Structure formats: structure tokens, C-alpha cells
Amino acid sequence: MSTKLATALIRWRVAQPRQDEVLDDIEEVYALDIERVGKGRAQLLYWGHALNIALFGIGKPDDEPAYETANPIDMYRNYLKVALRTIHRQKAYTLINVLGLAVGLACVLLILEYVQFEQSYDNVADAERIYRVQNNYIRNNILIYESAATFSGVAPAMKAAFPEVEATTRFYHAGAIFNTVVSNEASAEPQHFREPHLIFGDEGLFDLFAINLVEGDAATALDAVNTMVLSAATAQRYFGKSNPIGQTLRVTDENGNNHLCTVTGVFADQPMNRHVAIELIVSYPTLHTRPEGARRYEENWGGYAFYTYVRLAKGTDPRWVEQQMYGVLDQYKPGYKEVNAAGERIRQNHFTLVPLGNIHLTSHLQNEAGVNGNATLVSFLLLIAAFTLIIAWVNYINLSTARALERAKEVGLRKVLGSRRGQLVRQFLLEATVLHVIAVGCGLLLVWMVRPAFLVWAGIPAGTAFWNDVQIWTGLLAFTTLGAVLAGLYPAFVLSGFRPATVLKGSFRHSARGQWLRKSLVTFQFALSIALIIGTVAVYAQLAFMQNRDLGFDVEQTVILEKPGNLGSTRAAYRERMGAFKQSVRNLAAVRQVAASSVVPSQGIHRGIVVTRQPNSPLSEAHSIEIVSTDYDFLEAYGMTMLAGRGFSEAAGDTSVFILNASAATMLGFASPEVAVGETVYLYGQEPRRVVGVMADYHHESLQRAPDPMLFNLYPSVDAFLSIKLSTQDLPGALAQLEALYQEAFPGNPFRYTFLDDRFNAQYTADQRFGERFRFFAMLAIFIACLGLSGLTAFATQQRAKEIGIRKVCGASVGRVLVLLASDILKLVLVAATVAFPIAYISLDGWLNTYAFRIALTPMLFLMPLVGVIALALLTMSFQSLRAALSNPIVALRQE
Amino acid sequence: MYVGEFEELVLLAICGIDEAYAVPIHQRIVHKAGRSATLGGVYRALSRLEQKGFVRSRMGEITHTQGGKRKRLYEVTGTGLAAVRAMRTARDRLWEGLDLGGVGTVNV
């Protein structure tokens, strides 16, 4: 019987450290037994020993400790020492790694802070039970509008109809809709400020919006007519240090409304993460003092201009409330019960309850109370942060394995001295941890340096609770350990797997599989960078396209003035002054033309007006259209093109006339613009208007939309907006003149102007921001990719030192060698491009399709970034490649 | 702590050997004491004795036999010695006055 099996059995059942010892003993006994009783019996005895040992095992868990536990503390001290020495010796490589990780981490932290802020909007008490009540309007199964604000009657109706509605509040955002000026007439120097954040509201606001009244009584502050409360900052602005309570302010607007209000309270300034910014609240009953006040502002179910919020009792389903609203609507709007021939309702309002916390990121209706954020952008940024980090870690793995050669001798020696694989793995994991700790330190330093600028850029206030959040710090800890483990594991295993013999002999060659992994990692990095750069170029191209495209009207050199908010004495007197002002402006040499209108291009389209071809048509044949009221000069001043007919003319005695745009003409069913001229359409289905002309479509809003049907209504005394076309390049001079005239004509009003092109381009701010951020991260990605590439090149040239030496000896020129090295990298980049192109194409195509007017995705868009990336890659590796190509072949080929 | 029967034999064997490792211990027990024992049993006993603290082990010098491996050498601790003496005292006291034959010296 052979003893080999028995040996194996023993090996199996004896703990590793005791195996040799035990087997020695067994063999010694075996030898003695052979002498004593002969081979046959000795073998039997051998088996006996083996089985006996196998029965209970030696050194197995329930037995003695498996091996002498070496002192771990000493070993770790050694590992640390070696790690620090390695860092010191390989400064460049460490720098690259740490930089990459630090940058990635800094990115992630800043993005997280931004994301957390965006997601923290409106986090008041019980926010999950607070909803904004919105409604839309559908006629003949066509959605006419979707509005963030609803009718004034909704709040009281809901309170009455539903016991489940705990509390309601509604406000009228006067400051946003009309030019509202507030004046402090009692101060030594007259103070007039335009107040875009002035609302008319009720005390429900203190409750639902967590507005804390620091002075004044919340229960009564907004009860009486002509009272108001101010934010602390506003109170400071008007009254400085003196007590605002009891003082008066005059609230006027461009419609001639005029309220002298007493201050009854001061509330703490609202934090920035609220979807609507509120600085002054005038008591809601004040609206009743306006002409037809009660009808328009209280029980009104026609005008949708009132932001309404409700808090539901626990457990109430908002969807149920929405359903019930149909019943409530029937009560108050019996006219909507009318059905058409098919038995469907002709006109409907659907009410939607939107949770308060969702408004900021997901609601983008026409008449939002403030500028809302973008949930897509938020998730997109998170994605980018993750990518940056992944690239940094990929780099680390790449560089570590590439640098393995340097450590090979150390590893070999350690193994010879008795190091076990697990110990080696632990050593390299520790090194990874040390690097990560340093990287975290640098990352935090980076964040600390960059953060102020970042906050400004992102529009976040400085005092966010982000850094106080324990989760962030535990997250950082998790990052360090997780990163160290993940990123360090592969190199650790590769390094600890070296065979000491091969390594110490000096003939160590890196495995083919390792090469492949490294190459694919670099390719992945480049693919990502290429895709990001293509994206950046495309975003900018689209933006430039939108901003430079002919809008169909003259947008340059146009100053827009809004109607003054403080009209002074009487309506008639105001009209006179407005007329005089217009004339005096016209007379300025710097001014080419002055025109007035109800809206200017770049303002939102509401399509709230109904026109029909026949008088008293059924509603099913009515069309919704956007109306712009203008004076005689508007179309000419804006240089709009007429397709048929003519513009408004005073000489022709135009009175009740319209001009349609081409889309409107088509919508109303006219075969061609010429056919429409002279026809009559009916405003609101009743009032006849004659069409005197049809104009070409122009872009009233950003190019994200196709032009809407519009009609221009002649209203010579319209004065909501004055468009002043300048004929001079001296803008400051012209503005100074305008201001002088303005102050003379409308004292008590701050002079505020905008330029039309600025207004128009402001529509693109969101897109611009998007482009900026995209670009930033593309730069970042390629920076890190280049870091990785440079590290890799260093390794490659080192590996190929002998090869290069031989080539040079055989006569290769420096250029030839460079080409050789470069072609390797080039191959990688090209492969990366083939991966990146389809992904970039598909994503960009999808994004561009959200725009009504978009650029085409040309090959140039893809090739240019590729060329750029290739150039960058070549540049990155040039230094090392050049050095290798110029090196003395003797140095490389010398035997050590 | 008490010593088991076999463990006592192992302890005594160790005392009689200069460089005591598993094989000579086993040999001594088998040949001198005349008791059958397995190598495995010896190992287990040694392990238990070490756990109880009656025996300590150290890795010896590199031997000059083939392979040059180091052996685990055992020696009896003070506690072990005390335990073995206590056993002997206990046994002798019980043996006193008995006339059962067998090999052995009656202790005085």
C-alpha cells in the first residue's frame, strides 16, 4: 500500500503550520518501523498513524491555536513605513494617483452639496401633507393651459367642502404680475422700490409656509384691510433701525391700484430654498377695496391667478380630493356641465394636488411662482459625479498594476522570508488606504478652496447644513475604506501573486492578461472623455445656434421699459404724461423709434384668448390664441415681415382690426395669407375684428418652441411695455437721457430697464448653465484620463526600454520610435472613439429633440473632439516618449 | 487542574528525554512504559497539556537531518511537575497497605 495517500490524508487533517513537523515525525517513526518490522508492516503502521491523526485532526479549530500569532502591530508598523517610503520614492506616481482621487472626491462632495440643497426645497414642518392646488383647462379635448395658480374661490370652497382639509392659504403674486412700486412717503428722502416679491396673502402663510412672525401677532396681522407684514431685510431697507410696526408704506402698481398700508408685523427672512420668494405680504382683504374687489378676488372662478395651498389631514389621499373637486366645480361653475353631441363635457377643469416638496424640481408650468430647478439636471450631475470617481479609481488600479514591477523584488523577498499571501494582500491594502486618506485630505482641501466660488456659481447660500450632516462624514469614511478596498484589491492580488523565484531571478515579465485589463481600462476612460467632449461641443453648438438664429424681428439695440408702478395722481393725468414721455423720447437723437405693446418677445405665451370665424360659433369651433396688443408703430419698429396686407395705420383709420401671424392664419383655416386679408374674425366669439394683414411667424419665445399662433390687436394707448429702438452705439449716454426724461415724467418710480436681447437670452440661462456644467465635467474627465495615460506611458516606455534600445541599434530613427509608441496609444483612442460615438449620438439626438429648432448632428461634431483628444493624448505621452526615443540604447541594453 | 492517565505518562516521558518531541515521546511510552500509544494520541495529549499549562513548547534549532526542519520541543513546566508529583502522592497513598502484586515500587 502506498504511503502517498496516507500522507495526503495527514496533510488534509493537520493545520498548515504543523504539517511539516507532523509529517517529519511520522516519517521518522516510519523509518524506525521499517528497521524493526520490515516495510510491509511499517506501511500498515503508517496508515494507522494517518487514520488516527485524521480522526481528530491536529491544530484544527477546536484544538490549539493554529499558528503562533505574530505580533500584528509590529507588522503594520513595518507596512506603514514601507508605504511611506514607497510614496517618497515614487513621488510622481503618487501625485498622479492622489490628484486623480482628490479631484474626483472634491467633485462628488460639491455635487452632493448642490443636490442636497436642490432637494431640500420647501422642507417645512409637515411638508409631506401640504399640496399646491393647480388646475388645467381643457376644451374640446384640447389642453388649453396648465396653470400653477388657480381660481380665487378654490381655497374657501375647499375649506368648506372637505373636513379633511386642515388648513388652506392663498396668495396673489401681485409683484410678479405687475410692476409694483412701494414707497415710503414718511422718510426724509423719498424711497421708492420696485418689489417683485410682494404678495397679497392670508395668515395661512404663517402656518403652511413656516413664516415666523418675529414681531406682531400672527393671528391678527393680516386680518384688517390695508395692513402688511415685511421681511426683516425689507424692514431694514425702508426703516433702518427704527421700529417698522405702525409705520405706513404706499403700495402702487401699473394698473393704478393704490393702497396705503400699515405695517403690522415683521417676519424672519425666508431661507433660499423656497420655491417662492416672499418679502412683503399685504393683507388679502385689501384686495376687496379694489374696484369689483370682492367679485374678482374672492369668489372668482374664472381668473386663474391665485396660488392656493392646502394641508390635508393625516391619511388623506390627495387623489381622492382631486376627484371630489369635480363635484365642487359643478357647484360653482354650473356652465361647465354643458355637453357636446357625443355627451362629453366641452369644458373641463382638472384639479391637481402637487406635494410642496416636489414643486421646485418637477414643476415647470407657465406661471410658476419662482424659477424652478431641474430634476434631470440633478440626476445628471449625480451621474457625472459617479463617473468622475470611477475614472479616478480606474486610474488607480491601472497605475498600481503598472507599477507592480517596481515592487516585484520586494514582494519576492518577503515571500522568501516567510510572508503569506494574506499578509501581502493586507500590506498593499494598507498602502491603498494610506493613499486614500491622503487623497481625502487633499480632496477636502480642494473643496475648501473651491467652495466659495462654487456656491456663487451654483446659486446656493453659504450656510447650508450640508457639512454638519453626520452622514456626510460617515460617507467619507465609507468612501475611504471602500475605495481603498475596491481599488486596492486587484493590485494587491496581482502583486502578492508573484513567484519569488522568477522575480528574484530578474526575468520577470508582466502577464498578458494584466496588459489587456490595463488597456481596456484606459480605453474606457478615453471613451468616456470623448463622449463628454462631443456632448459639450454639441451643447454649445445648439446654444449658439439658438442665440444667433434670426428671430424674425429686430432684437438688437432695444431698450425695454415697463409701465411705471407708481402712477401718481389721476389716471387722466398719467395718460397725458405717458403721451408726453413717448413723444419726448421719440425726439431724442439717439432714438430711432418708440413702440408700445402689452407684451414683448421672450415673455410667456398663454393662449388664453378665443377667436372664431363665425359669430357665436359653438365652443367646439373656437380657437385659442395668444394676443398681443400694440400701437401703430410696433410692427415697423420691430422690423417684422408682412406676408400679405399691411400693418396698422393711423392714416387708414384702423379701429377694430387684427393682424394674424402665419400660424394663426393656418389655424383659423385660411388657405393662404392673402385669403385672410379683409376677412372678419370674432374675438371671444362675439366681437368682430377685421384682418388687415398677415405677418410672418417670428420667435416670440425661445427656440425650444415652434412659433405659436398669435394675433396683434391694435390698441393705441397700450403702455405695458415701451420698446425703444436706439440708433446710437452710445448706450450709456442714451440710457442717461432716457432716465432723465423718465424721472421727470414719472417721479416716484425707480428707473428700471432691460435690453431685449438680454431678456431673450435669459430664456437660455438654464441651457447655458447646463452647457457650462457639462463642459466643466468633460474637462475634468479628460484631465483625469490624461493623468492615467501619462502614468501608463511611463510604465510602457520603461517596459519597452530594451526593445527601443534594440530598434535604435538596428537603425531606427527617433521619429520612427516615436511613431511606434504613438501608434499604440492611437489604436486605443480609436477603439475608444468607436465605443463613444454611438452612445454620444443617441443621447444627443434624444436631447436635441426636446428643442423645436435644433442643429443637425454633423460628422464634424464628432471628428473635431476626436482630433482634439488624439492631440491631447499625444501631447501627454510626448515627454516620456521623447525621452525614451532619445535615450542611449547602451543604457537600456546593458546587463546589470 | 488534574492530569489524565495518558497525559501523566506523556509528562513523565518528557521528563526523561533531553530534546523531547513527538517521536521520542511516543517511542519511550511504547518501549519503556510498555503501553500502546499512537502518534496521534501523543499529539493530542501534548496539545491538551499545553492548554492546561503543564507543558510548554518551543521551536528548536535547525536539525542536521534531511530537510533541516525545526522540531517542536516540549518541556514540563513547574505546574506540570507539581501536578505529576501530586498524582504520585495520591496514588502511593492509595496503594499503601494494599497487596495487589504487579511491578512497581511501594513508595516510602
Side-chain angles (χ1 to χ4, degrees):
Chain A
M1 264 201 304
S2 93
T3 54
K4 287 231 170 92
L5 197 55
T7 315
L9 189 62
I10 294 173
R11 267 205 198 280
W12 177 45
R13 287 299 284 155
V14 175
Q16 172 103 358
R18 302 288 306 273
Q19 273 179 18
D20 296 332
E21 186 190 317
V22 169
L23 279 170
D24 273 353
D25 291 345
I26 306 278
E27 276 166 26
E28 198 181 317
V29 173
Y30 182 52
L32 290 170
D33 283 345
I34 291 182
E35 274 182 32
R36 218 166 29 95
V37 292
K39 188 138 187 203
R41 281 215 73 192
Q43 276 185 338
L44 223 55
L45 289 170
Y46 194 101
W47 264 101
H49 291 301
L51 286 171
N52 180 287
I53 288 174
L55 197 57
F56 284 103
I58 294 181
K60 289 300 186 171
D62 54 357
D63 205 6
E64 66 201 288
Y67 42 77
E68 357 172 346
T69 43
N71 186 347
I73 300 184
D74 279 336
M75 277 323 287
Y76 284 118
R77 216 171 8 172
N78 173 271
Y79 292 158
L80 201 61
K81 209 191 291 184
V82 170
L84 290 173
R85 281 191 193 153
T86 311
I87 291 174
H88 190 72
R89 267 189 304 137
Q90 301 179 341
K91 287 202 207 37
Y93 149 76
T94 313
L95 187 69
I96 292 178
N97 250 341
V98 167
L99 204 62
L101 286 174
V103 165
L105 183 68
C107 254
V108 168
L109 284 174
L110 287 176
I111 289 181
L112 281 181
E113 182 167 11
Y114 173 74
V115 165
Q116 207 217 35
F117 176 73
E118 285 286 304
Q119 290 180 329
S120 72
Y121 265 66
D122 299 307
N123 52 352
V124 300
D126 298 323
E128 68 277 2
R129 287 193 286 137
I130 301 180
Y131 301 86
R132 182 169 72 180
V133 182
Q134 308 174 172
N135 68 278
N136 59 15
Y137 174 47
I138 295 174
R139 197 184 58 229
N140 295 323
N141 290 323
I142 303 173
L143 178 68
I144 304 299
Y145 70 76
E146 229 182 314
S147 167
T150 183
F151 316 115
S152 65
V154 170
M158 284 182 85
K159 195 93 213 287
F162 304 115
E164 293 86 354
V165 168
E166 267 182 20
T168 66
T169 183
R170 78 189 148 171
F171 67 85
Y172 176 64
H173 206 328
I177 306 176
F178 301 113
N179 185 356
T180 309
V181 171
V182 173
S183 318
N184 182 358
E185 293 168 349
S187 67
E189 274 208 23
Q191 285 176 303
H192 313 279
F193 292 102
R194 177 152 183 261
E195 298 288 355
H197 301 301
L198 180 147
I199 64 174
F200 287 80
D202 57 28
E203 62 268 8
L205 284 170
F206 301 133
D207 183 9
L208 269 66
F209 276 29
I211 297 181
N212 293 326
L213 217 55
V214 291
E215 293 204 40
D217 177 17
T220 59
L222 293 175
D223 266 357
V225 170
N226 288 336
T227 55
M228 68 193 300
V229 297
L230 313 173
S231 72
T234 313
Q236 170 91 357
R237 193 155 27 105
Y238 283 100
F239 303 112
K241 300 256 194 274
S242 56
N243 185 6
I245 310 277
Q247 306 223 34
T248 59
L249 290 173
R250 187 174 292 278
V251 179
T252 56
D253 69 17
E254 61 185 88
N255 286 332
N257 289 308
N258 191 326
H259 310 280
L260 187 63
C261 299
T262 318
V263 180
T264 51
V266 176
F267 60 89
D269 290 332
Q270 288 282 80
M272 271 188 62
N273 54 350
R274 296 276 183 266
H275 73 283
V276 49
I278 302 174
E279 285 179 20
L280 300 89
I281 310 177
V282 183
S283 66
Y284 201 86
T286 313
L287 288 171
H288 297 169
T289 64
R290 294 188 176 184
E292 300 203 49
R295 182 184 75 78
R296 293 171 67 194
Y297 298 105
E298 197 52 47
E299 296 278 305
N300 193 334
W301 285 83
Y304 50 99
F306 300 86
Y307 295 96
T308 307
Y309 301 79
V310 297
R311 187 174 60 217
L312 299 179
K314 279 208 181 87
T316 319
D317 181 10
R319 304 285 94 81
W320 175 83
V321 175
E322 287 170 5
Q323 285 294 321
Q324 301 300 102
M325 285 305 290
Y326 293 118
V328 172
L329 193 65
D330 278 347
Q331 255 187 297
Y332 291 93
K333 264 181 151 171
Y336 274 39
K337 290 199 201 152
E338 192 183 335
V339 291
N340 62 10
E344 299 165 341
R345 297 238 175 154
I346 300 179
R347 292 177 292 177
Q348 300 174 69
N349 286 120
H350 292 312
F351 287 88
T352 323
L353 267 64
V354 174
L356 190 63
N358 289 6
I359 296 177
H360 175 69
L361 282 177
T362 59
S363 185
H364 295 283
L365 301 175
Q366 283 283 12
N367 51 353
E368 290 291 343
V371 176
N372 279 346
N374 188 347
T376 333
L377 181 64
V378 164
S379 15
F380 179 75
L381 283 177
L382 281 175
L383 202 68
I384 292 205
F387 267 136
T388 320
L389 213 55
I390 291 178
I391 294 182
W393 271 331
V394 161
N395 246 358
Y396 179 88
I397 296 177
N398 244 353
L399 288 174
S400 306
T401 47
R403 281 278 159 167
L405 194 56
E406 310 256 326
R407 311 293 299 277
K409 281 208 177 127
E410 175 195 344
V411 171
L413 211 57
R414 280 183 186 266
K415 283 201 157 190
V416 161
L417 289 173
S419 196
R420 276 186 295 280
R421 188 133 192 225
Q423 287 178 310
L424 284 168
V425 169
R426 240 173 292 154
Q427 175 186 3
F428 291 116
L429 280 182
L430 182 75
E431 281 191 24
T433 314
V434 167
L435 260 168
H436 269 75
V437 166
I438 298 179
V440 167
C442 289
L444 286 175
L445 191 69
L446 217 68
V447 167
W448 182 73
M449 288 194 306
V450 168
R451 190 160 170 264
F454 171 76
L455 288 178
V456 169
W457 181 68
I460 306 176
T464 58
F466 182 74
W467 295 99
N468 300 334
D469 193 353
V470 169
Q471 282 191 338
I472 298 301
W473 297 102
T474 46
L476 268 180
L477 203 66
F479 163 80
T480 321
T481 37
L482 191 71
V485 167
L486 283 181
L489 217 55
Y490 179 73
F493 271 101
V494 165
L495 285 165
S496 62
F498 291 163
R499 298 199 146 277
T502 351
V503 160
L504 289 173
K505 254 192 277 185
S507 66
F508 182 69
R509 275 265 131 229
H510 224 78
S511 76
R513 217 174 46 169
Q515 291 274 28
W516 185 85
L517 181 73
R518 265 202 311 288
K519 284 199 173 157
S520 47
L521 287 178
V522 169
T523 311
F524 167 74
Q525 279 176 306
F526 270 102
L528 205 62
S529 309
I530 292 175
L532 283 176
I533 293 184
I534 293 177
T536 312
V537 172
V539 167
Y540 270 93
Q542 171 69 9
L543 270 174
F545 169 75
M546 288 199 295
Q547 286 176 319
N548 294 334
R549 189 176 152 93
D550 182 19
L551 295 166
F553 62 90
D554 186 15
V555 73
E556 301 287 323
Q557 305 273 80
T558 312
V559 180
I560 307 285
L561 294 179
E562 288 181 35
K563 179 171 170 178
N566 185 347
L567 300 184
S569 44
T570 66
R571 267 257 162 79
Y574 162 74
R575 287 239 173 79
E576 253 188 56
R577 281 184 287 135
M578 174 54 91
F581 175 71
K582 272 169 89 166
Q583 195 51 43
S584 54
V585 171
R586 273 202 196 96
N587 290 338
L588 287 179
V591 171
R592 184 165 55 85
Q593 197 149 25
V594 177
S597 57
S598 58
V599 292
V600 286
S602 83
Q603 286 185 301
I605 300 257
H606 294 286
R607 297 185 66 160
I609 304 299
V610 167
V611 286
T612 57
R613 290 287 301 276
Q614 303 298 331
N616 298 312
S617 295
L619 280 168
S620 47
E621 290 173 31
H623 301 279
S624 302
I625 201 169
E626 174 74 2
I627 192 168
V628 178
S629 297
T630 73
D631 62 5
Y632 295 103
D633 306 312
F634 189 83
L635 274 93
E636 196 193 310
Y638 272 81
M640 295 181 172
T641 322
M642 299 300 298
L643 292 177
R646 57 171 177 78
F648 296 133
S649 153
E650 196 167 5
D654 285 337
T655 45
S656 309
V657 289
F658 277 173
I659 291 182
L660 305 173
N661 72 354
S663 301
T666 319
M667 181 181 75
L668 283 167
F670 293 114
S672 76
E674 289 77 14
V675 170
V677 178
E679 291 286 324
T680 308
V681 295
Y682 293 85
L683 184 63
Y684 308 121
Q686 290 176 334
E687 299 167 27
R689 295 277 188 275
R690 192 164 47 89
V691 177
V692 293
V694 176
M695 56 182 285
D697 283 340
Y698 71 96
H699 290 288
H700 187 85
E701 280 194 304
S702 86
L703 270 81
Q704 233 177 340
R705 296 171 69 114
D708 293 81
M710 301 178 75
L711 64 81
F712 281 65
N713 175 39
L714 177 62
Y715 180 31
S717 55
V718 70
D719 57 1
F721 289 95
L722 283 181
S723 306
I724 302 175
K725 295 280 177 182
L726 298 176
S727 60
T728 172
Q729 295 295 345
D730 174 24
L731 295 178
L735 287 170
Q737 289 180 310
L738 284 173
E739 178 166 8
L741 288 174
Y742 187 88
Q743 292 296 11
E744 202 189 302
F746 310 110
N749 282 287
F751 179 64
R752 294 172 59 99
Y753 64 89
T754 46
F755 281 93
L756 185 61
D757 44 11
D758 288 339
R759 263 185 183 247
F760 214 86
N761 287 339
Q763 294 177 92
Y764 300 123
T765 340
D767 296 301
Q768 253 169 342
R769 282 247 187 96
F770 181 69
E772 274 171 30
R773 282 159 194 172
F774 210 91
R775 175 183 62 177
F776 177 71
F777 289 112
M779 295 286 120
L780 209 61
I782 200 163
F783 171 68
I784 297 182
C786 281
L787 276 184
L789 180 63
S790 75
L792 222 58
T793 318
F795 168 71
T797 50
Q798 206 179 34
Q799 280 284 66
R800 303 175 72 169
K802 281 216 175 99
E803 177 194 341
I804 295 173
I806 292 176
R807 283 181 189 269
K808 290 195 78 171
V809 162
C810 289
S813 67
V814 172
R816 186 87 185 78
V817 174
L818 277 177
V819 167
L820 181 72
L821 290 170
S823 62
D824 258 356
I825 304 292
L826 238 57
K827 261 181 277 180
L828 285 182
V829 176
L830 286 175
V831 169
T834 50
V835 169
F837 280 1
I839 296 177
Y841 184 84
I842 296 174
S843 333
L844 281 174
D845 202 47
W847 175 69
L848 282 173
N849 278 338
T850 62
Y851 291 85
F853 294 89
R854 49 162 284 187
I855 52 173
L857 290 172
T858 61
M860 187 57 81
L861 209 61
F862 290 85
L863 287 177
M864 252 180 29
L866 180 62
V867 166
V869 169
I870 290 178
L872 205 57
L874 289 175
L875 192 69
T876 313
M877 49 161 282
S878 62
F879 180 62
Q880 277 139 349
S881 311
L882 205 61
R883 200 162 49 155
L886 288 174
S887 65
N888 193 339
I890 296 177
V891 173
L893 293 172
R894 217 172 14 207
Q895 291 287 20
E896 293 285 334
Chain B
M1 280 265 62
Y2 291 105
V3 192
E5 173 263 339
F6 187 63
E7 289 167 8
E8 188 189 352
L9 293 179
V10 167
L11 277 175
L12 289 170
I14 294 177
C15 291
I17 307 174
D18 253 343
E19 302 227 327
Y21 59 99
V23 173
I25 296 174
H26 175 255
Q27 294 292 307
R28 193 170 167 88
I29 293 179
V30 168
H31 296 310
K32 185 137 201 250
R35 185 196 188 291
S36 78
T38 63
L39 207 49
V42 169
Y43 282 124
R44 283 191 279 280
L46 287 169
S47 151
R48 281 198 301 275
L49 284 169
E50 190 158 18
Q51 269 176 1
K52 291 180 192 172
F54 296 144
V55 131
R56 76 171 76 88
S57 71
R58 62 184 171 86
M59 298 305 285
E61 296 288 319
I62 300 198
T63 67
H64 297 291
T65 59
Q66 178 167 18
K69 302 220 175 75
R70 304 164 74 182
K71 300 240 178 254
R72 188 175 282 271
L73 302 173
Y74 293 90
E75 57 187 16
V76 184
T77 61
T79 329
L81 216 47
V84 141
R85 285 196 196 114
M87 285 298 297
R88 196 174 192 204
T89 315
R91 192 179 306 113
D92 285 348
R93 288 207 181 127
L94 286 177
W95 269 102
E96 202 172 319
L98 292 181
D99 184 15
L100 299 174
V103 183
T105 26
V106 177
N107 220 3
V108 284

